[in-house]
Amino acid sequence: MLLRGRGVTTGGKKRPWRFLLEERQGRLAGELQADGWSGSFKMNAWFEKHAGKEVELEVEGFGRVLLTPKGLRTHETGHHSESSVKVEGCLVSRDGPEV
C-alpha cells in the first residue's frame, strides 16, 4: 500500500510536509519532503534532532506511524530550497480507509 499526501504532525505541530511511504509486510519505507526556505530549515532541524531515533508522527488521512529518520537530502538555489528525509518504520494506528 502506498501512503501519499501532505500534512505531518510531529511534536504537537502540524507541518505542511509531503509524505510518500510504502507499506510492505507491516513495514514502512519512503520519505518526507519540505519546500521553501522556512519549511526546509524546520525539516533539517527536525532531522538533526531525531536522526537514527524512532519518532511517532501522524500522517494526514492515514494515522500514527513510528519512523526513524535515516538520511537527509537538501537542494538549495538562490531562489528555492527543498529538503527530503529518508525514513523507515511502521504504522501504529490507521485512521484512513482500508485499501
Side-chain angles (χ1 to χ4, degrees):
M1 175 173 68
L2 194 61
L3 286 72
R4 173 184 231 149
R6 180 181 296 270
V8 175
T9 302
T10 177
K13 295 179 183 174
K14 187 171 181 178
R15 308 278 189 199
W17 300 346
R18 293 185 317 273
F19 56 89
L20 178 58
L21 304 168
E22 185 172 359
E23 182 183 27
R24 287 190 186 173
Q25 300 175 347
R27 300 294 301 163
L28 294 172
E31 62 182 30
L32 306 175
Q33 301 171 334
D35 288 324
W37 291 102
S38 177
S40 291
F41 176 79
K42 289 175 183 170
M43 177 172 274
N44 296 352
W46 178 84
F47 174 80
E48 292 297 325
K49 182 177 180 180
H50 300 289
K53 302 173 192 170
E54 198 170 64
V55 181
E56 186 171 322
L57 305 139
E58 185 170 337
V59 292
E60 189 75 28
F62 291 99
R64 292 182 301 130
V65 296
L66 286 175
L67 297 177
T68 303
K70 298 286 190 175
L72 174 68
R73 181 189 64 79
T74 60
H75 174 75
E76 296 179 352
T77 68
H79 303 286
H80 182 73
S81 177
E82 64 184 40
S83 293
S84 66
V85 174
K86 186 174 197 154
V87 293
E88 294 176 357
C90 62
L91 190 61
V92 175
S93 70
R94 188 180 309 270
D95 290 342
E98 292 291 324
V99 176

